Amino acid sequence: MTAVSLLGLSMAAQAQDGERHITLASTTSTENSGLFDAIIPQFTETTGIDVRVVAVGTGQAFEIARRGDADSLLVHDTVGEERFVEEGYGTERADVMYNDFVIIGPDGDPAGIADAETVAEALSLIAEAEAPFASRGDDSGTNRAELRLWDSAGVEPGGEWYRELGSGMGPTLNTAAGMDAYVMSDRATWVAFDNPRDLELLFEGDDALFNQYGSILISAERHPHLKHDLAEQWHAWLLSEEGQQAIADFEVKGQQLFFPNAKQ
């Protein structure tokens, strides 16, 4: 067989292998925490399907999926996820796992939020003190949750103390560390964060800080070109006993960061 023929067979094999992957639009929190590095190889070993992650804010992930540029979604804004399905872009949404949000701030805690009884009180104290607060400001699931919490506290954040950064969770934590600002983070990214400087976890535990993640199958009617059969295998695996165990087994610094809660 000639070298040209061998090259042709190799290229054909590579093209065929390349079809055994999906593009997943997901959040920076799942990526930054290292979760996908832990669970995707297990899924690939079971199915032979690779998952290529586009990690962005949840709002941007929705837009990517609406355009038909992702085969599957894994995000954390239940209200937005249900709307996505209602609008006909998705055909099924399922709970996959949860963790929680936490309020981080400078170790001196100038607003005194460590003694607050609720997250609404904590945010009100930050606003009253006009203490610097770094907001992602990127329409992510975290940013959407943060804005809902300000609203529930009866506070309209703004002014020089409130900085909307338009950045992912990791960069936002870096900025908060540099300016000794308060910031709301998902717990997973905070635990995995390696540059806290003078930042500390100051408030946690309120039920309002619950953070649910969901997987969505994208409509074949809207986007027939997508790899729906492969995406369905990913979706089913996440909800399976194997997938749920893989999520439960993921730890950083000895802490479990995501808690599986798919309905079996």
Side-chain angles (χ1 to χ4, degrees):
M1 185 176 290
T2 67
V4 172
S5 298
L6 288 171
L7 178 61
L9 286 173
S10 175
M11 292 177 66
Q14 290 176 21
Q16 187 173 7
D17 288 344
E19 293 176 359
R20 297 289 294 174
H21 76 269
I22 61 170
T23 298
L24 172 69
S26 190
T27 71
T28 60
S29 58
T30 45
E31 178 77 0
N32 291 345
S33 65
L35 175 69
F36 288 137
D37 289 337
I39 70 170
I40 288 175
Q42 297 179 57
F43 169 71
T44 302
E45 183 178 358
T46 298
T47 64
I49 302 166
D50 189 22
V51 180
R52 301 177 184 179
V53 180
V54 179
V56 292
T58 288
Q60 191 175 348
F62 282 135
E63 289 308 308
I64 289 171
R66 286 190 177 95
R67 295 196 305 265
D69 291 333
D71 301 296
S72 188
L73 268 174
L74 179 60
V75 288
H76 63 140
D77 177 29
T78 302
V79 173
E81 293 159 29
E82 292 173 346
R83 184 182 307 119
F84 184 88
V85 173
E86 289 168 1
E87 292 172 347
Y89 291 100
T91 57
E92 179 181 320
R93 182 223 165 262
D95 289 343
V96 172
M97 60 191 184
Y98 70 91
N99 60 12
D100 62 343
F101 296 111
V102 292
I103 307 295
I104 309 300
D107 56 7
D109 191 17
I113 72 167
D115 296 325
E117 295 185 2
T118 66
V119 65
E121 181 185 353
L123 292 176
S124 294
L125 288 169
I126 292 170
E128 289 168 9
E130 295 190 352
F133 187 96
S135 171
R136 285 183 59 168
D138 63 348
D139 194 34
S140 60
T142 302
N143 184 221
R144 292 181 179 195
E146 178 217 312
L147 293 176
R148 287 193 293 268
L149 290 170
W150 284 115
D151 186 62
S152 68
V155 176
E156 186 173 347
E160 292 185 5
W161 63 273
Y162 185 75
R163 311 288 180 85
E164 294 182 278
L165 303 177
S167 60
M169 196 68 256
T172 298
L173 282 169
N174 271 317
T175 300
M179 58 189 286
D180 285 334
Y182 290 94
V183 58
M184 189 174 98
S185 172
D186 66 282
R187 186 184 294 271
T189 306
W190 167 248
V191 171
F193 184 59
D194 289 326
N195 183 36
R197 298 172 69 173
D198 294 328
L199 294 183
E200 292 185 356
L201 194 162
L202 294 174
F203 185 87
E204 62 183 325
D206 191 322
D207 289 345
L209 294 171
F210 180 77
N211 182 28
Q212 177 69 55
Y213 289 79
S215 175
I216 302 176
L217 291 174
I218 297 171
S219 169
E221 184 176 346
R222 289 264 187 176
H223 298 298
H225 66 284
L226 297 178
K227 299 171 185 174
H228 298 284
D229 56 337
L230 304 186
E232 287 171 8
Q233 291 183 62
W234 164 249
H235 180 80
W237 184 84
L238 286 172
L239 308 181
S240 72
E241 184 176 342
E242 181 184 353
Q244 293 281 281
Q245 189 61 53
I247 292 167
D249 288 343
F250 174 65
E251 294 184 349
V252 172
K253 300 175 184 176
Q255 295 187 47
Q256 181 178 345
L257 298 189
F258 297 94
F259 298 83
N261 66 340
K263 297 176 177 62
Q264 301 294 333

